[in-house]
Amino acid sequence: MRILFLTHSFNSLTQRLYAELVEHGHEVSIEFDIADSVTEEAVAQFQPELIVAPFLKRAIPPSIWSKHLCLVVHPGIVGDRGPSALDWAIQEGETSWGVTVLQAGAEMDAGPVWASVAFPLRRGKKASLYRNEVTEAARRGVLLALERMAEFTAGRWAPLEVSGTRNPVRGRLRPPMKQADRAIDWHNDETATVLRKIDAGDGFPGVADTWFGEPCRVFDAWPEARISGAPGEVIARRETAFLRATKDGAVWVGHVKRSDGFKLPAVLGFAAEAAALAEAPLATWWAADHATWQDISYVEQADIGYLHFDFYNGAMGTRHCQRLLAAFQWAETRPTRVIVLAGGEDFWSNGIHLNLIETADSPADESWANINAMDDLAEAIIRCNSQLTVAALAGNAGAGGCFLARATDQVWVREGIMLNPHYKNMGNLYGSELWTYLLPPRVGAEGARRIMQRRLPMTARQSVECGFYDHCFSADAGHFAAEVMLKASALAIANDFPQQLAEKRRRRAEDEAVKPLAAYRADELAQMRRNFYGFDPSYHYARHHFVHKVAHAWTPRHLAHHRDQRATPVA
Ligand code: COA
């Protein structure tokens, strides 16, 4: 089928649906929702049999839905309407929620229902629920709707009319959630309430609040069970986060957005205030219970060390990389046989921290420091000769994060995650993380070139098919974690473990003799230096647009396939 995606951006949900439908043999093209006239032009060029709207911020124009079947993905249960579906569900403590695929019509979110998929609503950030439960339900819902199209055409099935009928449904029309609805009362709100409010607005738009007498928006909350203070008081700081007391406990807040800026680690957003506060450090890398906030944590089971690093949005600044390197080097000293680099729940890594770079006095210098810190980490992982190493990707990865994972001996990916192993979209960055050393043995020189040139996302399955990663399994996060443990123990107890380790050391020594790692790194960094300090400012422009979330003025050519076709001329 010829399917046109009409979407606000090519976000992770859209990427997942795109990959899934292409895999099912459909011809899919993408148009960003920029202006009605542009959408009309795209439809005229592509002549789609179906239009799918995975992520829209405004209504589809009547000129389109009156002539074409348009299916909209709504992140709410049947009957739910409005732009703050998930926000209300989280804030009001719903325990089950869903995604509805409905037909676009005159009233927004009120058209006939083609499919709906339910899921349990866990405690979590809105963006996390969106990337996981909502994305999976949307995938199933859209596939179901596509199956039903044939039945519909044959007159054997009709979508469910909800609006204006007596069909009893749980969902209802909800207004956009305003900041007044989100407001935190630090003196009277309990920890659970504060968490719900911040989660409901995370990653966008955040909760408008006042910190140190200044207005800002807050994100990235985690409960603290041991330390408390006078309600409202900012008690301490730890790495990127502040701890603030609620009525019955305290909450860590990891990120803030000041009125004139963009999202930053909280202690950087309020740097002077942070400097005056006491640090509440953690004594070790060992994972505490879930009673406090800990972005890097280590767990050991039998002969396996699991290093978790849950960095907000998967972005890794200079200090994140340095701290993770220190934790990795410490993990190497443990009497284990395997180290599993487990990343975070939502992201494994998205590469260097573009927001921290953007806010630095010299973005070029900070880019340089950040990529060097990233390379130190990649190099340490490659050089590890005391354990076998595994990267277990339970969450998405992008850019340098994808190549950092390849620095391990084996990369295992959860089915359903999205990978964006390319730097091209960030102003043609050359990239580092030793990719020139790591990729060719796995995918060949041509394969490496194809990966680096490709601007499109890669599914977990594709990453294994092309030899980039090693295994893909278990779409469910819990099952994935369990299977990672089983596979890691199999590695650790294998009879030939000593031979495997010896072979790894031998290969590394042999590679080093042919071309030292330092030479690969120097070659890559020479190119990166040009990207950061050279005459062409593309990277700095691209980063600025990314961090400031400048809306697209047109759909990139590699997504809008219809623009390449010499199709029906526009009337
Ligand atoms: N640095 C800082 N923030 C980053 C980031 C990075 N490297 N990568 C992602 N983010 C942030 C986004 O700004 C967004 O922030 P928000 O919380 O304000 O919404 C959030 O992470 C989620 O990213 P988003 O783009 O919405 O997720 P996605 O799943 O739709 O797309 C990527 C994933 C990887 C394609 C996209 O985030 C990306 O291109 N990231 C930049 C990767 C990069 O170029 N790194 C530098 C070179 S190594």
Side-chain angles (χ1 to χ4, degrees):
M1 216 187 290
R2 289 163 76 80
I3 302 174
L4 181 72
F5 275 15
L6 179 60
T7 184
H8 177 74
S9 71
F10 197 40
N11 69 347
S12 52
L13 186 150
T14 310
Q15 293 185 6
R16 180 82 196 281
L17 291 183
Y18 174 84
E20 190 77 28
L21 297 193
V22 169
E23 226 166 74
H24 275 74
H26 299 293
E27 188 187 346
V28 186
S29 191
I30 298 170
E31 186 64 49
F32 286 171
D33 180 31
I34 289 162
D36 291 353
S37 59
V38 179
T39 306
E40 285 160 9
E41 190 184 294
V43 171
Q45 277 180 330
F46 194 53
Q47 299 287 332
E49 292 154 79
L50 171 68
I51 297 173
V52 174
F55 170 44
L56 273 190
K57 292 199 171 178
R58 41 174 227 136
I60 298 176
S63 60
I64 303 292
W65 60 254
S66 60
K67 295 193 207 116
H68 299 268
L69 176 60
C70 302
L71 296 180
V72 178
V73 175
H74 177 71
I77 51 175
V78 175
D80 179 85
R81 295 174 56 196
S84 307
L86 271 174
D87 310 50
W88 285 115
I90 297 167
Q91 188 144 315
E92 294 187 344
E94 296 279 0
T95 52
S96 68
W97 200 240
V99 165
T100 308
V101 178
L102 41 82
Q103 193 172 333
E107 272 188 282
M108 204 153 168
D109 304 334
V113 171
W114 280 71
S116 62
V117 177
F119 54 81
L121 198 67
R122 64 182 160 94
R123 196 235 118 187
K125 299 181 175 80
K126 177 172 66 168
S128 172
L129 292 160
Y130 185 83
R131 272 182 212 114
N132 292 287
E133 284 84 344
V134 171
T135 298
E136 178 54 22
R139 184 190 73 84
R140 287 167 52 200
V142 168
L143 290 179
L144 203 57
L146 288 185
E147 278 170 28
R148 286 173 175 168
M149 267 185 81
E151 297 287 291
F152 175 72
T153 314
R156 286 195 297 267
W157 180 87
L160 175 75
E161 293 285 351
V162 176
S163 182
T165 68
R166 294 221 185 97
N167 284 330
V169 287
R170 199 173 117 217
R172 62 197 164 103
L173 173 65
R174 309 290 319 245
M177 188 180 272
K178 299 196 189 67
Q179 281 300 341
D181 302 313
R182 303 181 190 271
I184 297 171
D185 178 348
W186 289 95
H187 291 91
N188 294 304
D189 280 349
E190 293 176 347
T191 294
T193 310
V194 173
L195 288 174
R196 271 205 304 274
K197 287 179 175 175
I198 299 181
D199 282 347
D202 209 340
F204 179 82
V207 175
D209 202 7
T210 303
W211 282 63
F212 308 106
E214 294 288 329
C216 65
R217 293 195 180 202
V218 295
F219 308 84
D220 187 16
W222 190 264
E224 166 65 47
R226 296 202 194 87
I227 315 171
S228 61
E233 179 196 2
V234 183
I235 311 166
R237 69 182 157 89
R238 175 182 299 156
E239 294 301 336
T240 51
F242 284 124
L243 180 64
R244 188 162 184 179
T246 61
K247 185 182 170 191
D248 62 345
V251 169
W252 291 97
V253 169
H255 281 74
V256 299
K257 181 173 180 293
R258 300 287 293 265
S259 13
D260 52 348
F262 43 86
K263 215 183 267 185
L264 284 174
V267 296
L268 204 70
F270 290 101
E273 293 82 353
L277 264 180
E279 170 101 34
L282 287 170
T284 68
W285 301 114
W286 289 99
D289 43 25
H290 281 271
T292 192
W293 174 74
Q294 185 174 7
D295 57 355
I296 300 179
S297 59
Y298 179 83
V299 180
E300 208 169 275
Q301 268 164 1
D303 281 336
I304 307 156
Y306 296 87
L307 196 52
H308 297 266
F309 43 102
D310 206 348
F311 301 134
Y312 189 71
N313 284 338
M316 291 170 59
T318 307
R319 185 161 162 78
H320 293 100
C321 296
Q322 290 166 344
R323 290 173 56 231
L324 187 53
L325 173 62
F328 179 76
Q329 287 170 333
W330 173 81
E332 282 182 292
T333 67
R334 298 288 309 154
T336 55
R337 288 185 151 198
V338 176
I339 298 177
V340 177
L341 291 163
E345 267 183 25
D346 281 356
F347 293 103
W348 196 85
S349 168
N350 274 332
I352 56 177
H353 201 311
L354 300 168
N355 291 36
L356 288 179
I357 291 169
E358 185 70 15
T359 200
D361 289 340
S362 162
D365 287 352
E366 185 50 37
S367 302
W368 183 250
N370 201 160
I371 198 67
N372 272 286
M374 195 64 124
D375 282 359
D376 289 344
L377 179 58
E379 214 179 310
I381 297 170
I382 295 169
R383 289 189 192 281
C384 168
N385 63 13
S386 40
Q387 282 96 348
L388 292 181
T389 56
V390 174
L393 277 64
N396 297 345
C402 294
F403 303 104
L404 180 69
R406 193 56 280 177
T408 56
D409 301 317
Q410 297 215 22
V411 186
W412 302 341
V413 267
R414 178 164 74 82
E415 179 134 21
I417 66 163
M418 289 313 302
L419 305 161
N420 279 274
H422 45 78
Y423 304 90
K424 280 243 152 229
N425 291 345
M426 199 47 65
N428 264 324
L429 273 185
Y430 183 78
S432 193
E433 289 94 7
L434 281 320
W435 72 265
T436 53
Y437 167 67
L438 296 166
L439 257 56
R442 271 29 206 227
V443 296
E446 177 51 27
R449 199 195 59 81
R450 261 202 307 272
I451 289 179
M452 300 312 282
Q453 293 300 319
R454 161 194 175 116
R455 286 168 184 254
L456 288 170
M458 193 184 262
T459 62
R461 238 174 290 149
Q462 288 165 347
S463 74
V464 175
E465 276 161 17
C466 75
F468 180 39
Y469 288 163
D470 302 295
H471 294 291
C472 158
F473 44 84
S474 311
D476 176 82
H479 292 161
F480 180 73
E483 201 158 340
V484 165
M485 276 188 194
L486 281 179
K487 282 190 187 305
S489 345
L491 268 186
I493 61 172
N495 288 335
D496 67 347
F497 176 85
Q499 288 90 317
Q500 285 196 50
L501 196 59
E503 168 60 15
K504 168 177 162 167
R505 289 178 185 150
R506 188 200 59 74
R507 222 179 314 119
R508 177 82 279 285
E510 200 177 281
D511 287 353
E512 189 69 16
V514 175
K515 178 173 174 181
L517 219 43
Y520 285 96
R521 181 170 167 163
D523 290 347
E524 289 174 6
L525 288 181
Q527 301 276 354
M528 288 298 256
R529 184 173 266 288
R530 225 166 282 150
N531 291 141
F532 299 155
Y533 294 100
F535 179 67
D536 176 1
S538 302
Y539 156 68
H540 296 290
Y541 278 123
R543 189 196 61 245
H544 181 86
H545 278 73
F546 180 83
V547 170
H548 291 272
K549 303 198 186 301
V550 176
H552 283 275
W554 61 82
T555 310
R557 207 55 189 247
H558 65 283
L559 302 179
H561 304 304
H562 50 280
R563 303 227 180 275
D564 293 334
Q565 298 174 352
R566 302 269 170 267
T568 325
V570 186

